[in-house]
Amino acid sequence: MASRVEELLAEARWLEGLALALVGEREAARDLVQEVWVRTLEEPPRDVRRPRAWLGRVLRNALSSRRRSESARASRERAHERDGTYGTDDVVERAEAQ
């Protein structure tokens, strides 16, 4: 496993560049790259014939997952605003105001 991960780590700079190109913000790109490395350690590839292709696929999957989560969260927040329900921050803010 170590040699497979080392082969992937050799592409770290390339991966960071790809992440930055996809999200356009350095901190968001770093977070995404970190997520790729966590996923890589949790489930290393069996075969690393094309490290960039593998890493690119993991990166795009992580980005898609993140975007789905953000979209779902935004939808929930809009629904709560329409329903008049409040999140914890709203409750704390209202309590402090009183």
Side-chain angles (χ1 to χ4, degrees):
M1 177 181 100
S3 66
R4 286 179 277 180
V5 173
E6 287 172 6
E7 287 179 53
L8 295 171
L9 284 171
E11 301 295 344
R13 188 171 297 245
W14 174 85
L15 182 64
E16 291 167 6
L18 178 60
L20 184 58
L22 289 174
V23 297
E25 182 185 84
R26 188 165 304 282
E27 287 305 313
R30 285 181 180 159
D31 289 344
L32 201 55
V33 167
Q34 184 175 6
E35 191 172 331
V36 168
W37 293 127
V38 168
R39 289 181 182 195
T40 299
L41 290 173
E42 289 175 346
E43 240 180 279
R46 290 186 183 98
D47 187 13
V48 188
R49 289 183 200 166
R50 298 176 49 212
R52 288 185 177 186
W54 191 87
L55 287 168
R57 186 172 58 250
V58 174
L59 178 72
R60 285 186 295 276
N61 288 343
L63 180 58
S64 293
S65 178
R66 179 172 289 184
R67 287 180 174 162
R68 278 191 307 275
S69 294
E70 289 171 356
S71 177
R73 187 188 73 240
S75 293
R76 284 190 305 274
E77 288 173 357
R78 284 191 301 274
H80 286 297
E81 287 173 5
R82 284 192 305 271
D83 296 343
T85 56
Y86 301 99
T88 33
D89 291 339
D90 297 322
V91 171
V92 169
E93 187 177 313
R94 290 176 69 201
E96 287 175 348
Q98 291 176 351

